[in-house]
Amino acid sequence: MTIERERRAELGAFLRARRNQLVRADLGLPPVGRNRTSGLRREEVAYLSGVSVTWYTWLEQGRDIHPSRQVLDAIARTLRLSVAEHTYVLTLVGYSAPEPDAQPIPRAAPPHVQRLLDALDGFPAYAIAPDWYISGWNTAYAALYPNVATVPAEDRNLLWLVFTDPYVRELLPDWEVTSRRFLAEFRAEAGPRLGDPSYARLIERLLDASEEFRAGWKSHDIEGFASRERVFHHPVAGDLHLEHHRLAPSDQPDLHLVIYTPVPNATPGRPSAR
């Protein structure tokens, strides 16, 4: 059996299983006969999804047909698929994951994410939302950048702090290079969201507040994130050589965790992050 045939067979079996698990009353449908309260008929799924019974039957049978994304989205709604299930159906046919529903950008990391940050004791770590708002951090990061706990909540944005906080300029001996790289990374990620109010407000404020930001924004530089070595000039600990990493929790894909770890074989005599 070819890979495509296996995927079609899996798609058909998956849709059939989900169809049989639905509770009829949840969709406003009466029981079938006297006792059957779960499971939809194929013709019912077809009608509710706006497709023909024959076509939907072929889909469950794993026939060599090519459903559109819109049709699969409609079937996913009819079958009350979760986001993970909807994604699974789309990927079996070769489509990308569904676009996430527009949700307000959270201003506090979920409790389980904050617990993870706290568990990384000794390694500076923080969480940023899609607009780079710092939504959580641990004590090691507060020791590296104490202002994170004291700035007004509306200013607790990584890009804003990089371009407006004098402490950050002193903390980063390569501020000119790092600030431009951060801006290029932000722009690469923010492209599809630039019209959102939170992004528009942040950019407007930075254009007013920072000449360096204005120059960097006009350059339209784009760069993807890459783990790399960073140097911080801490007023108490001295020069810290750290590796800069970024991860996304699988259950919070829009939230990024930024973690700094000691550079292996750092220059002797210089303090580590711990």
Side-chain angles (χ1 to χ4, degrees):
M1 182 179 289
T2 66
I3 293 177
E4 287 188 4
R5 288 181 60 190
E6 289 182 357
R7 289 176 177 173
R8 291 198 302 269
E10 171 60 17
L11 174 63
F14 178 81
L15 295 177
R16 188 162 54 251
R18 291 298 173 268
R19 173 170 61 84
N20 290 331
Q21 291 173 5
L22 285 172
V23 176
R24 298 182 60 81
D26 290 346
L27 282 81
L29 298 173
V32 177
R34 300 172 60 182
N35 299 315
R36 184 180 168 190
T37 59
S38 63
L40 270 64
R41 298 187 178 99
R42 283 175 174 167
E43 54 265 33
E44 291 170 330
V45 174
Y47 174 77
L48 293 172
S49 303
V51 300
S52 73
V53 177
T54 299
W55 190 92
Y56 181 76
T57 299
W58 287 350
L59 192 62
E60 279 199 4
Q61 290 175 345
R63 299 281 192 95
D64 187 8
I65 57 177
H66 303 282
S68 70
R69 184 182 185 119
Q70 290 75 16
V71 165
L72 292 175
D73 289 344
I75 293 173
R77 288 190 293 270
T78 298
L79 298 181
R80 306 289 180 90
L81 300 186
S82 67
V83 173
E85 291 169 335
H86 189 180
T87 299
Y88 185 62
V89 165
L90 290 175
T91 55
L92 283 174
V93 184
Y95 294 115
S96 59
E99 291 293 326
D101 295 332
Q103 299 288 341
I105 296 176
R107 288 300 178 243
H112 70 286
V113 171
Q114 184 59 55
R115 289 192 293 271
L116 174 59
L117 294 173
D118 293 338
L120 296 170
D121 184 37
F123 298 97
Y126 60 92
I128 54 173
D131 63 352
W132 283 29
Y133 183 87
I134 301 175
S135 59
W137 61 90
N138 63 11
T139 55
Y141 183 71
L144 177 66
Y145 176 58
N147 294 355
V148 70
T150 60
V151 296
E154 66 174 5
D155 294 340
R156 196 173 289 126
N157 179 283
L158 180 61
L159 200 63
W160 173 263
L161 296 172
V162 165
F163 279 95
T164 65
D165 189 342
Y167 183 96
V168 174
R169 292 206 183 203
E170 294 298 323
L171 187 65
L172 304 178
D174 59 348
W175 182 89
E176 290 80 6
V177 173
T178 296
S179 62
R180 291 292 289 264
R181 177 159 187 170
F182 273 17
L183 179 52
E185 291 172 349
F186 174 83
R187 191 165 203 148
E189 298 169 11
R193 303 173 182 257
L194 286 179
D196 292 357
S198 64
Y199 287 80
R201 175 59 178 156
L202 172 64
I203 293 166
E204 180 182 352
R205 293 181 68 204
L206 281 165
L207 288 171
D208 289 339
S210 170
E211 180 179 349
E212 294 89 346
F213 179 87
R214 288 195 296 273
W217 192 248
K218 289 179 181 178
S219 72
H220 293 269
D221 290 340
I222 297 294
E223 189 163 359
F225 176 84
S227 296
R228 57 193 183 270
E229 181 175 342
R230 301 280 306 284
V231 178
F232 297 88
H233 184 69
H234 194 272
V236 176
D239 287 344
L240 303 175
H241 291 245
L242 306 174
E243 282 189 339
H244 182 177
H245 304 284
R246 196 172 71 177
L247 310 172
S250 60
D251 62 342
Q252 298 286 330
D254 279 343
L255 196 67
H256 285 119
L257 306 186
V258 179
I259 304 168
Y260 296 110
T261 60
V263 173
N265 304 317
T267 303
R270 288 182 172 173
S272 70
R274 297 199 64 138

